[in-house]
Amino acid sequence: MLNDTIINAERELYLTLLELAQQQPIAYEWLKQLPTWLNAIKDKANYAHAPAYQASVARLPNLTVNNVDLNSNTLTIEADLNESQRKQTTALLKQLMPWRKGPFQIGGQIGDDESGIKIDTEWHSDWKWKRVAPHLSRLDGRRVLDVGGGSGYHGWRMAGAGADTVIIIDPSCLFYHQFMAIRHFVGAADAHAHTHDRGRYRTHYIPVPLEALPEHSQLFDTVFSMGVLYHRQSPFEHLQQLRGQLVKGGELVLETLVIEGDANTVLVPHDRYAQMNNVYFLPSVAALIGWLEKAGFSEVRCVDVAVTSTEEQRKTEWMTYHSLADFLDPDDSTKTMEGYPAPMRATLIAKK
């Protein structure tokens, strides 16, 4: 028997935007485009694997969920799994590989990997959240946009931190369906508790890039852009687009690759960087602060700098392709295969 997870999630998204539009009319522009956005991600002409991904989500079994913890490092859906359900669920989730951002656990109890299905993703996204979360303004009651949110791990953590509404955007067909697979098991565990919209989901996913959104929406109290800026050919345009989604006084959380250097230091890889052919600009922290100020942000501060380790990003059973260890110089792990400095990430926070 097939489930209606995707249909229900998309209906909840529509109702959330409709309610928002009654307060902020610019949201009607989002509603006008929503059918096109949602239809495009399922169109086989656009994404050859889309029908298979949809089928995998639709065939996930309905479990009796005892608890959902959106605040655990491994996002855990506590449920009892019989052997048949375990095999079916594991097989279906593996059809949505590679899983890059997580980790997640379906079944069992928190901290009990043996009785549940542990999706050990390529990235320990919980490590990044631990670095970022202490520096955020409280998310309670805030409307949040997560740009380039991948499978949605950080979006779920934002909801767990008390955000009123989280909208994740990412144009990946695979990531969209991974989010829907987790949504299937989360169910209404992230729903609003207050009376006027009791039962309404708080965490949503729109499968589009930032540039597809209506400009200058000014709908969000907090906007996250983590692991996106270095993929943009025009970083200043990206920063302006982020700023346009924030309310006045809103908070930007920007995490990106950086290099050592002064305010004039920017690395532009000639061809590839760590085997990625879509990396364009790696500024120093000082240069990045200048970029943000030039883009109109204020109170810019760097709250964390961390070199990415092969423990944080690595090959796993759920992501079997090459990972960071394969992209570093085998004789000098402080350098990429191309001879550039190894990946180092900085998190900056700024106000509009």
Side-chain angles (χ1 to χ4, degrees), residues 217-294:
S217 294
Q218 301 184 73
L219 290 174
F220 298 95
D221 304 294
T222 305
V223 170
F224 289 82
S225 171
M226 299 194 291
V228 179
L229 185 68
Y230 51 87
H231 291 310
R232 311 314 299 164
Q233 294 184 30
S234 178
F236 280 95
E237 184 177 6
H238 182 70
L239 295 178
Q240 292 285 5
Q241 290 166 343
L242 294 170
R243 190 172 184 274
Q245 298 302 326
L246 279 167
V247 301
K248 185 177 180 180
E251 185 168 88
L252 172 68
V253 182
L254 180 71
E255 189 260 14
T256 189
L257 290 172
V258 295
I259 59 169
E260 299 282 358
D262 62 18
N264 297 310
T265 304
V266 180
L267 171 64
V268 181
H270 178 67
D271 184 14
R272 291 174 178 262
Y273 175 85
Q275 290 297 290
M276 294 183 286
N277 63 1
N278 60 345
V279 173
Y280 297 99
F281 297 94
L282 280 69
S284 66
V285 170
L288 186 54
I289 289 173
W291 289 7
L292 285 161
E293 292 173 344
K294 191 176 182 68

Side-chain angles (χ1 to χ4, degrees), residues 29-292:
E29 296 301 317
W30 292 53
L31 280 168
K32 288 178 186 176
Q33 299 185 59
L34 188 60
T36 300
W37 292 339
L38 297 180
N39 288 333
I41 203 69
K42 302 177 196 128
D43 188 344
K44 187 177 181 179
N46 297 329
Y47 304 98
H49 296 294
Y53 294 157
Q54 290 174 63
S56 295
V57 174
R59 290 164 55 203
L60 289 168
N62 293 315
L63 305 179
T64 300
V65 174
N66 303 316
N67 182 52
V68 175
D69 191 340
L70 300 180
N71 288 312
S72 59
N73 294 329
T74 298
L75 196 150
T76 303
I77 294 98
E78 296 185 8
D80 298 324
L81 280 171
N82 62 40
E83 192 59 27
S84 174
Q85 290 170 328
R86 180 193 306 278
K87 289 180 178 178
Q88 179 187 8
T89 301
T90 301
L92 291 169
L93 292 174
K94 287 201 169 184
Q95 289 176 14
L96 298 175
M97 287 172 55
W99 286 80
R100 297 194 180 275
K101 303 295 176 68
F104 303 96
Q105 181 174 319
I106 314 298
Q109 308 294 319
I110 294 174
D112 179 8
D113 293 352
E114 299 301 319
S115 58
I117 300 165
K118 174 72 176 290
I119 304 178
D120 187 15
T121 49
E122 177 188 16
W123 281 89
H124 261 295
S125 302
D126 52 316
W127 293 13
K128 180 181 294 188
W129 186 249
K130 284 181 182 178
R131 294 194 294 266
V132 171
H135 306 286
L136 303 175
S137 296
R138 290 182 62 87
L139 294 180
D140 301 71
R142 287 193 167 221
R143 193 179 303 126
V144 178
L145 178 67
D146 184 16
V147 177
S151 63
Y153 174 86
H154 288 126
W156 293 117
R157 296 301 302 269
M158 294 165 199
D164 183 78
T165 302
V166 179
I167 295 182
I168 303 158
I169 62 169
D170 195 303
S172 167
C173 181
L174 175 60
F175 293 160
Y176 182 69
H177 289 93
Q178 288 176 347
F179 171 84
M180 290 299 174
I182 300 302
R183 163 57 78 191
H184 173 73
F185 297 111
V186 170
D190 69 324
H192 286 283
H194 41 82
T195 305
H196 77 277
D197 55 1
R198 186 181 301 277
R200 183 69 43 79
Y201 292 173
R202 290 186 293 128
T203 315
H204 307 277
Y205 201 117
I206 304 179
V208 296
L210 177 61
E211 55 269 26
L213 300 180
E215 293 184 354
H216 309 296
S217 294
Q218 301 184 73
L219 290 174
F220 298 95
D221 304 294
T222 305
V223 170
F224 289 82
S225 171
M226 299 194 291
V228 179
L229 185 68
Y230 51 87
H231 291 310
R232 311 314 299 164
Q233 294 184 30
S234 178
F236 280 95
E237 184 177 6
H238 182 70
L239 295 178
Q240 292 285 5
Q241 290 166 343
L242 294 170
R243 190 172 184 274
Q245 298 302 326
L246 279 167
V247 301
K248 185 177 180 180
E251 185 168 88
L252 172 68
V253 182
L254 180 71
E255 189 260 14
T256 189
L257 290 172
V258 295
I259 59 169
E260 299 282 358
D262 62 18
N264 297 310
T265 304
V266 180
L267 171 64
V268 181
H270 178 67
D271 184 14
R272 291 174 178 262
Y273 175 85
Q275 290 297 290
M276 294 183 286
N277 63 1
N278 60 345
V279 173
Y280 297 99
F281 297 94
L282 280 69
S284 66
V285 170
L288 186 54
I289 289 173
W291 289 7
L292 285 161

